[in-house]
Amino acid sequence: MKQYYIAGNWKMHRTIAESVELAKELVAKLEGSSSKIMIAPAFTSLAAVATVLKGSNVLLGAQNMGPEEQGAHTGEISPAMLKDAGVSVVILGHSERRHSYLETDELINKKLLLALKHGLEPILCVGETLAEREGGNLESVVRTQVVEGLKGVAETELAKVIIAYEPVWAIGTGKTATPEDADAVHAYIRRVLKELYSEKSAVAMTIQYGGSVKPENAAELMAKANIDGALVGGASLKAESFVPIVNFYK
Ligand code: 13P
């Protein structure tokens, strides 16, 4: 069985104490899992959660990162600061960043290149809105986000990048793309990667699905050939729902 990569995006939830408690529970319950696992708490909880995760099989991720090394950038967090807090993975271009905070492909690309430069593993999020899907623009939207997001990434560096396909209409809505729909978009992303790089790199890319992933639908999504993992929002906030998703194969 391939190794699946299950990540939890905690978004703007949990105090430091609550984050530590949840992280402790996850570490205890996920020991020995064969999945690759990451959790991304809020910035304020990163350092405390890093202490809990030390020596465990759970990686620490951040939900965003500033596009600069350092300097006069009020409110931003640099890659070095994330690493200092114990972070090894960073989620970039989440649809909530794209839509609520108007992040452009250009900005996301800048962050991605900076993350790679600092040895952080970027998870590049892509996905269409309902209007874009219904307007027949799914492929062009996803293509642009992949092509522009990866601009300047050499093929040797590509292996360090993860892509997460998160259809915007499926995030936090309880609506999941059918496993067939998600698989088809993942296959399309691989076609784009093949054009940009090579068949080998396209096949090797880890592509997570995100959008209302739950214990009830995780196994059928993961059963699809082109789905290599999940980026989980709401269901990652409780061990009782995140643990069965990580261990969907059991
Ligand atoms: P939900 O699992 O809550 O739909 O969120 C998905 C997501 O946005 C993960 O990044």
Side-chain angles (χ1 to χ4, degrees):
M1 189 177 88
K2 67 182 169 191
Q3 193 188 31
Y4 288 84
Y5 187 174
I6 313 292
N9 174 7
W10 293 4
K11 305 194 180 181
M12 201 171 72
H13 295 286
R14 303 287 180 262
T15 62
I16 298 173
E18 289 165 353
S19 299
V20 164
E21 192 183 340
L22 176 55
K24 280 184 181 162
E25 197 180 350
L26 292 175
V27 165
K29 293 185 171 160
L30 292 173
E31 195 190 344
S33 172
S34 60
S35 297
K36 178 175 170 181
I37 310 159
M38 182 276 271
I39 54 174
F43 286 130
T44 46
S45 296
L46 287 172
V49 170
T51 312
V52 178
L53 301 188
K54 206 166 190 171
S56 79
N57 58 338
V58 181
L59 299 169
L60 184 62
Q63 300 171 21
N64 187 21
M65 188 189 83
E68 307 288 344
E69 305 264 3
Q70 64 169 7
H73 302 285
T74 303
E76 294 294 341
I77 309 270
S78 75
M81 289 168 182
L82 293 182
K83 287 176 75 181
D84 189 37
V87 167
S88 60
V89 183
V90 62
I91 299 170
L92 296 175
H94 191 280
S95 65
E96 288 149 18
R97 303 287 332 158
R98 291 179 187 266
H99 296 286
S100 305
Y101 301 96
L102 308 182
E103 289 201 6
T104 61
D105 286 317
E106 193 185 356
L107 178 69
I108 294 159
N109 175 247
K110 192 173 178 194
K111 294 181 182 193
L112 188 137
L113 294 173
L114 193 62
L116 286 172
K117 181 180 169 197
H118 286 266
L120 290 164
E121 177 186 81
I123 299 183
L124 172 64
C125 300
V126 301
E128 82 290 358
T129 63
L130 190 57
E132 287 162 346
R133 174 175 276 249
E134 288 178 347
N137 298 316
L138 189 167
E139 291 196 348
S140 68
V141 167
V142 169
R143 168 181 288 271
T144 301
Q145 291 174 347
V146 170
V147 171
E148 298 300 318
L150 294 175
K151 211 167 228 174
V153 177
E155 185 155 13
T156 46
E157 290 285 288
L158 189 68
K160 299 170 192 156
V161 178
I162 308 296
I163 292 179
Y165 168 60
E166 300 202 308
V168 179
W169 48 271
I171 296 176
T173 57
K175 286 185 198 146
T176 322
T178 64
E180 292 70 28
D181 279 346
D183 190 59
V185 181
H186 286 217
Y188 177 70
I189 291 171
R190 285 193 212 283
R191 287 208 293 282
V192 174
L193 292 171
K194 185 181 163 186
E195 278 171 38
L196 291 176
Y197 296 96
S198 66
E199 167 116 47
K200 188 163 172 264
S201 289
V203 170
M205 173 61 70
T206 297
I207 308 179
Q208 297 171 327
Y209 168 77
S212 299
V213 176
K214 303 181 268 277
E216 300 76 44
N217 59 24
E220 54 174 354
L221 285 160
M222 298 309 124
K224 290 293 170 191
N226 289 294
I227 301 182
D228 308 313
L231 183 53
V232 186
S236 70
L237 288 166
K238 286 193 175 139
E240 67 196 50
S241 42
F242 192 55
V243 170
I245 295 174
V246 173
N247 290 335
F248 72 91
Y249 55 86
K250 283 194 177 168

